[in-house]
Amino acid sequence: MKLFIIFLTALFSFAGCSTTHYLQYSKSHDKFYDDYNNSAGHKDIEVVLNNDSLISRDNHSVIRNDTLYIFKEESEEKEYVLPVNDIKKMDYHSNDYKTADLLLSNGEKIKAEGISVLEDSIRFKGFRDLIYKTPLVPVSDINVVSYKNHLRGTIQGVLGGTLLGGALGATGWIFKPPDGHGGIDRLGATIGGVLSGLIIGGVVGYIIGYNVNYQFSPGR
């Protein structure tokens, strides 16, 4: 049990690392905002304000005009009857021509089902993806925004767990398979430690994740 606790503690230390990007050291605010939008825009985020309040959001986010916005996506279902001239392109999904992706002349995209063609128009049940942008907080009120990169945490946990498990296995601390002469099969013990470390490290690494922080306020 003692060694197991040491093993897990070491894995947590491998998986719980982080990277911090600082606004004060960035070349410009615009570049920092672009880096944030490209990296964290589609992640679940935690926002710590300058007054130490915590806000968690699982929506998409973006920084525009010195404000952090949250995007919420919803799907709308509606019956349509449109003139043929309003449809720029139709990509059918099947040979019965009942389902298609429509591109309208105004640039709008609609998923259509149950298409029926009339003389100079078409009738269908359409689905649109709607995106609502809501301002969350001014950038000047933000201390740090963080998100977890679970893939990077898994990779780091696997690497750390494999190395640590192999080392503990080689010393006979984890597995002690006999070698037939009353001693320890070092190769078998090392392989057993590597496999154990790989599995445990991967699971723990995914759960903990790799923290990526965007620091907005200096001196915190």
Side-chain angles (χ1 to χ4, degrees):
M1 178 60 69
K2 184 176 181 180
L3 293 178
F4 184 70
I5 294 175
I6 295 175
F7 186 55
L8 283 183
T9 301
L11 287 181
F12 271 88
S13 66
F14 276 116
C17 298
S18 65
T19 295
T20 300
H21 305 274
Y22 294 91
L23 175 59
Q24 65 185 113
Y25 301 135
S26 181
K27 293 181 180 179
S28 68
H29 284 200
D30 289 340
K31 184 180 186 308
F32 186 84
Y33 297 163
D34 288 341
D35 288 344
Y36 172 88
N37 293 337
N38 293 330
S39 176
H42 297 278
K43 305 294 194 305
D44 298 346
I45 60 172
E46 285 191 349
V47 183
V48 179
L49 304 181
N50 291 327
N51 62 5
D52 294 328
S53 298
L54 178 64
I55 303 174
S56 297
R57 287 292 184 272
D58 57 1
N59 309 98
H60 296 173
S61 62
V62 66
I63 297 176
R64 292 282 188 271
N65 300 322
D66 294 323
T67 300
L68 179 64
Y69 290 87
I70 296 298
F71 286 88
K72 183 178 180 181
E73 297 183 8
E74 293 183 357
S75 180
E76 179 189 66
E77 178 181 339
K78 180 181 176 182
E79 294 290 338
Y80 288 85
V81 178
L82 295 179
V84 174
N85 293 336
D86 286 352
I87 301 174
K88 184 176 182 180
K89 183 179 180 182
M90 296 181 65
D91 292 327
Y92 288 101
H93 294 172
S94 59
N95 294 330
D96 62 4
Y97 302 104
K98 293 297 184 181
T99 59
D101 289 331
L102 307 184
L103 176 61
L104 305 186
S105 56
N106 62 3
E108 184 180 358
K109 297 178 180 179
I110 300 177
K111 298 177 182 178
E113 294 182 358
I115 297 174
S116 59
V117 180
L118 309 177
E119 290 186 3
D120 56 356
S121 61
I122 66 170
R123 182 193 305 272
F124 59 90
K125 180 169 64 175
F127 301 87
R128 296 189 306 165
D129 293 328
L130 303 177
I131 300 178
Y132 301 96
K133 185 174 73 170
T134 304
L136 181 65
V137 65
V139 168
S140 59
D141 292 343
I142 298 175
N143 178 17
V144 62
V145 179
S146 304
Y147 74 88
K148 290 185 179 296
N149 187 324
H150 292 284
L151 176 59
R152 188 168 178 177
T154 300
I155 295 174
Q156 193 155 336
V158 166
L159 293 176
T162 298
L163 293 174
L164 182 60
L168 294 179
T171 61
W173 285 10
I174 299 180
F175 296 101
K176 297 183 179 181
D179 62 0
H181 302 284
I184 298 175
D185 179 3
R186 297 291 179 182
L187 178 60
T190 301
I191 293 175
V194 166
L195 293 177
S196 297
L198 186 151
I199 295 172
I200 297 176
V203 172
V204 173
Y206 177 82
I207 294 173
I208 297 176
Y210 185 94
N211 293 322
V212 181
N213 308 310
Y214 281 84
Q215 184 78 41
F216 288 79
S217 297
R220 295 294 297 268

